[in-house]
Amino acid sequence: MRGAIDLDAYLRRVGWRGAVAADLATLRGLAIAHVAAIPFENLNPLLGLPVELDPAALEQKLVHDGRGGYCFEQNLLFAEVLRAIGFEVSGLIARVLWQHPEDAVTAQTHMLLRVELDGSSWLTDVGFGGQVLTGALRLQADVEQPTGHEPFRLVMRDGDWRMQSLVRGQWLSLYRFDLRPSRMIDYVVANHYVSTHPASRFPRNLIMARTTADRRMSLLNHEYTVRRLGQEPERHALRDGAAIRRVLEEEFLLCLPVHAGLDRRLDELPK
């Protein structure tokens, strides 16, 4: 199956077996498979390399090169996949609230997707790192919805939608957004900020995540964390760049780029 994206290659990349169709089972199943196979990662900003958002570059990096990416890369690729299957997809943009106060005013630096299916609207998002949505949510306020991991819900507050997840008995907001479709230029500008600006976390820190059926894995510089539902997080301090490299390859399944400065940059990460 070929279109704007090599769909067969993508399906092999995420380990999908069987047919696909523009239905809810495929939407949910692909979102779960995607975040288990394609890690959230920011090595390009960390190494001072550009983050390209055109479809050919995304396919090459995330599908063929065994790399990952962050929200704009992940969700733009996923949107191309869904459209190739026959879904009606539009992109939205959000203000991140995760680890911020509920009333914080943050920049629009996150992308998510809206999918129209059988007369209903659904949200999906394969690019939110360690607390990524595993599946899809019906666009409906104040209804707890099951996912592959924690329950999620959508709430309306101050004129915006908020995506929330139930973490240790507390509803926490991931981000807030409205339903106006975003243009590609919105993502290009936001991507430039998060990948290059000194105030952004991405050029200064190594940030990784991968979510499988039974655990969420995340890495912030030297701290590797594994979270399983109903259990205390497992935290591991990685002593040096060599240990970080091993975790990137073995736990995050990342094909590391060939770059002369990679080992030095890993050794220099803040502790």
Side-chain angles (χ1 to χ4, degrees), residues 3 59 73 81 116 135 152 164 182 186 210 216 223 248:
E59 180 181 322
E73 299 169 281
V81 168
E116 306 304 324
F152 275 60
Q164 297 185 332
S182 291
D186 299 325
R210 188 168 78 89
R216 293 184 181 274
E223 184 173 273
L248 296 181

Side-chain angles (χ1 to χ4, degrees), residues 77-111:
L77 175 72
F78 198 50
E80 290 291 328
V81 168
L82 295 178
R83 291 187 184 108
I85 294 170
F87 289 94
E88 181 184 345
V89 185
S90 57
L92 306 177
I93 198 164
R95 302 180 189 274
V96 173
L97 292 175
W98 186 249
Q99 299 180 336
H100 290 283
E102 281 290 317
D103 59 353
V105 179
T106 60
Q108 291 179 307
T109 57
H110 182 68
M111 180 184 184

Side-chain angles (χ1 to χ4, degrees), residues 133-145:
L133 169 66
T134 45
L137 297 185
R138 185 185 293 273
L139 184 59
Q140 183 176 357
D142 303 320
V143 176
E144 181 176 318
Q145 302 187 47

Side-chain angles (χ1 to χ4, degrees), residues 190-243:
N191 176 62
H192 178 70
Y193 172 84
V194 299
S195 64
T196 65
H197 197 278
S200 171
R201 302 177 71 205
F202 291 124
R204 298 179 286 112
N205 301 279
L206 176 62
I207 303 171
M208 299 282 306
R210 188 168 78 89
T211 298
T212 65
D214 66 337
R215 65 194 185 278
R216 293 184 181 274
M217 295 166 282
S218 60
L219 177 67
L220 175 60
N221 296 324
H222 289 263
E223 184 173 273
Y224 170 51
T225 303
V226 180
R227 290 183 290 142
R228 294 178 173 87
L229 283 177
Q231 300 182 28
E232 289 297 313
E234 302 171 18
R235 304 188 190 279
H236 307 270
L238 306 180
R239 65 181 182 276
D240 55 25

Side-chain angles (χ1 to χ4, degrees), residues 49-169:
L49 299 174
V51 176
E52 300 180 55
L53 299 183
D54 63 278
L58 294 173
E59 180 181 322
Q60 185 64 46
K61 183 186 178 198
L62 278 68
V63 176
H64 302 298
D65 292 346
R67 291 283 306 279
Y70 53 48
C71 68
F72 301 115
E73 299 169 281
Q74 300 272 9
N75 281 316
L76 284 169
L77 175 72
F78 198 50
E80 290 291 328
V81 168
L82 295 178
R83 291 187 184 108
I85 294 170
F87 289 94
E88 181 184 345
V89 185
S90 57
L92 306 177
I93 198 164
R95 302 180 189 274
V96 173
L97 292 175
W98 186 249
Q99 299 180 336
H100 290 283
E102 281 290 317
D103 59 353
V105 179
T106 60
Q108 291 179 307
T109 57
H110 182 68
M111 180 184 184
L112 66 152
L113 302 176
R114 178 176 180 176
V115 179
E116 306 304 324
L117 183 61
D118 297 331
S120 297
S121 295
W122 296 81
L123 298 178
T124 191
D125 178 0
V126 294
F128 200 75
Q131 198 61 27
V132 70
L133 169 66
T134 45
L137 297 185
R138 185 185 293 273
L139 184 59
Q140 183 176 357
D142 303 320
V143 176
E144 181 176 318
Q145 302 187 47
T147 75
H149 293 80
E150 301 87 354
F152 275 60
R153 72 179 183 185
L154 297 163
V155 298
M156 284 288 295
R157 187 178 300 171
D158 302 325
D160 283 336
W161 291 85
R162 295 182 185 230
M163 175 86 73
Q164 297 185 332
S165 62
L166 186 62
V167 181
R168 294 173 175 248

